[in-house]
Amino acid sequence: MLTVEEVMSRNLVTLKEEDDLVRGDDLLAVNNIRHLPVVKDGKLVGLVSHRDLIRAMARHERAPGAPPVMVKDIMTRGVETLKPRSAVREAIHKMLDNKFGCLPVVEDGGQLVGIITETDIIRLAGRLLDSGGRGT
């Protein structure tokens, strides 16, 4: 059985609840990614996607002197997660069934250890096809 920990991204770029949206937008652009887990003391507390940032920035026009919009105000809480030993097949089904672009990977206690994204799954498919899998 192929496990999530064999496929997931481990070099995580994360946000904190008290970060503002500009920081999130900068991190997405600099790292060429679309999802930012939000952590507190290393534990997953939420998720911000590129789509979340675009929506929030469009809705919260900044007037001069207005306070910045914070990550905690727009992040998705109660995020669906996987364990490192979960089957990749489970990740694929969860992502397809729920139209998720990613799933954070956590150890017991909520410690964030990775993230599996659509890109990770496509990369896996490419490796499998290159190694003799059938397909064109």
Side-chain angles (χ1 to χ4, degrees):
M1 169 182 81
L2 191 59
T3 63
V4 167
E5 66 187 337
E6 296 174 79
V7 178
M8 70 184 188
S9 299
R10 297 172 189 273
N11 297 328
L12 300 174
V13 179
T14 63
L15 288 171
K16 295 178 183 168
E17 292 176 286
E18 57 274 1
D19 287 332
D20 65 32
L21 298 192
V22 174
R23 175 159 171 71
D25 189 49
D26 289 346
L27 287 173
L28 290 174
V30 167
N31 294 284
N32 197 28
I33 55 177
R34 294 180 293 155
H35 306 95
L36 290 164
V38 182
V39 295
K40 183 175 185 176
D41 300 324
K43 294 183 180 182
L44 181 71
V45 294
L47 185 73
V48 174
S49 70
H50 182 248
R51 185 176 292 161
D52 295 333
L53 283 176
I54 290 171
R55 187 179 303 117
M57 289 178 161
R59 289 182 179 167
H60 298 96
E61 283 191 42
R62 294 268 328 252
V69 178
M70 308 305 282
V71 166
K72 67 182 176 185
D73 298 326
I74 69 148
M75 70 182 192
T76 300
R77 298 173 191 274
V79 177
E80 185 84 28
T81 63
L82 294 167
K83 301 286 185 204
R85 302 293 292 156
S86 299
V88 170
R89 181 180 305 272
E90 178 184 353
I92 291 169
H93 287 293
K94 278 188 177 189
M95 291 170 76
L96 286 173
D97 293 347
N98 297 290
K99 298 185 181 185
F100 292 152
C102 73
L103 287 163
V105 182
V106 298
E107 292 282 1
D108 291 334
Q111 194 74 26
L112 182 66
V113 295
I115 190 169
I116 187 165
T117 68
E118 293 165 319
T119 301
D120 296 321
I121 300 297
I122 292 168
R123 193 174 290 121
L124 170 64
R127 284 196 316 259
L128 292 173
L129 290 170
D130 289 345
S131 69
R134 297 188 324 176
T136 55

